[in-house]
Amino acid sequence: MPLLEKVSSNRVSTGTLTKYKFPSAALGGLSAQCNVFVPAAASRAAPVPVLFYLAGLTCNEDTGAQKGGFLNTAGEEGIAVVFPDTSPRGAGVDGEDDDWQLGTGAGFYMNATDPKWAKHYNMYDHVVKELPAVLKVAELGLDFSRWSVFGHSMGGHGALTIYLKTPELFRSCSAFAAASNPSRTPWGINAFTNYLAVPAPAPGAPPPAEWLTHDATHLLSSSRADAGALRILSDYGGADQFLANGQLEPAALEAAARDSGHNGVRVRVHHGFDHSYYFVSTFAPEHVRFHAQFLKA
């Protein structure tokens, strides 16, 4: 198991935000970085709950930590927050830096199966398996038996799909402006066509089954969880430019929750808000408290 190497550390809220790096097997041996906020009260004897924040396209491990507005509330609630990166860095894959919607900064929190990408682009394994294991070995005072996940945009997609695939690992999930139905929207179609070894369907044809396992709306519709067992809060802004151009599709997620009887799923619109971190930071305290009610139960 690789050991964390401290890169930097800053006092914030009731604790410390530390940037670490380590060689990532999931990312093909590349160096991976993350930020970890730990309240001062955390210890091996008294570990605290953990909340993972997944950032969106073009972002990195610093974005949510610096702009999200999560840490004061997390500190007050005694919750650690982990900020992974959004993709491998420096993989050398041809074209990975040509399109902001694919490659560097755009890992989509999935494991690639196309041989071009499969060696390095395994962000699902990195976030769900590798990073928790490395953090446990580091003995930072984190309690992964009390673990929740949230994210923004592409990271909202990541949070929703990770939670819906493995609800037994997490207490709750929330999202800001999530890409909620990516098998039918431009961001997802672009990502899935490239990362997965499955060709795009003909126009008007349904998405391939291999794509649907990375689509939150489909995963929610097909979930076998008991009614009320899923704890999801998904917010979006009514003035979001990516809502207007069909990238987010929150109505599809809301319909899936309603039609499948998952009454623990809430989808809310906030009129006048756009896609930016002005929106995220406005509702950040509420989201942290949403998770706190389950993490501290």
Side-chain angles (χ1 to χ4, degrees):
M1 183 65 62
L3 299 178
L4 293 175
E5 179 182 341
K6 183 186 291 187
V7 177
S8 63
S9 184
N10 297 91
R11 180 63 194 268
V12 60
S13 182
T14 67
T16 303
L17 181 74
T18 305
K19 182 189 289 269
Y20 296 104
K21 66 179 180 179
F22 67 94
S24 168
L27 305 185
L30 296 174
S31 180
Q33 296 195 151
C34 64
N35 281 301
V36 184
F37 168 73
V38 181
S43 69
R44 283 182 289 176
V48 298
V50 187
L51 183 55
F52 269 37
Y53 177 78
L54 309 182
L57 291 164
T58 75
C59 297
N60 59 28
E61 73 279 1
D62 293 330
T63 310
Q66 295 178 358
K67 298 168 67 175
F70 307 117
L71 300 184
N72 279 338
T73 309
E76 293 167 3
E77 295 286 354
I79 296 172
V81 187
V82 177
F83 302 88
D85 203 347
T86 57
S87 76
R89 303 280 166 173
V93 176
D94 182 44
E96 71 176 348
D97 295 321
D98 294 347
D99 181 356
W100 65 273
Q101 302 166 102
L102 186 75
T104 302
F108 275 83
Y109 303 101
M110 57 191 289
N111 293 338
T113 56
D114 188 285
K116 176 179 176 178
W117 304 92
K119 179 179 179 180
H120 299 290
Y121 280 76
N122 298 294
M123 289 300 296
Y124 177 87
D125 281 353
H126 176 65
V127 168
V128 177
K129 300 176 182 178
E130 181 178 53
L131 188 51
V134 171
L135 292 172
K136 289 175 186 177
V137 169
E139 296 186 331
L140 301 178
L142 309 184
D143 180 2
F144 277 94
S145 71
R146 296 180 291 162
W147 185 15
S148 292
V149 61
F150 66 155
H152 171 236
S153 192
M154 176 188 73
H157 144 78
L160 289 167
T161 55
I162 286 170
Y163 175 74
L164 289 166
K165 288 178 183 179
T166 54
E168 69 279 4
L169 294 180
F170 300 96
R171 297 283 184 93
S172 54
C173 171
S174 73
F176 303 90
S180 301
N181 196 192
S183 68
R184 297 182 179 275
T185 59
W187 279 340
I189 292 170
N190 181 45
F192 299 165
T193 300
N194 282 276
Y195 290 143
L196 303 177
V198 179
E210 294 85 350
W211 290 18
L212 296 177
T213 61
H214 306 286
D215 186 301
T217 293
H218 171 76
L219 291 170
L220 182 57
S221 294
S222 58
S223 173
R224 297 182 179 179
D226 293 338
L230 297 176
R231 300 153 171 173
I232 296 175
L233 172 63
S234 185
D235 284 345
Y236 66 98
D240 190 318
Q241 64 273 34
F242 296 114
L243 173 69
N245 65 19
Q247 296 283 18
L248 306 184
E249 297 298 305
L253 186 72
E254 187 171 27
R258 181 184 63 247
D259 295 345
S260 57
H262 290 298
N263 54 19
V265 178
R266 288 186 289 159
V267 179
R268 308 185 306 184
V269 59
H270 300 279
H271 295 290
F273 286 91
D274 59 18
H275 197 74
S276 72
Y277 270 83
Y278 295 112
F279 163 59
V280 174
S281 61
T282 297
F283 297 98
E286 185 176 356
H287 276 242
V288 174
R289 292 190 181 102
F290 166 78
H291 293 292
Q293 66 182 313
F294 304 112
L295 290 170
K296 297 167 67 176

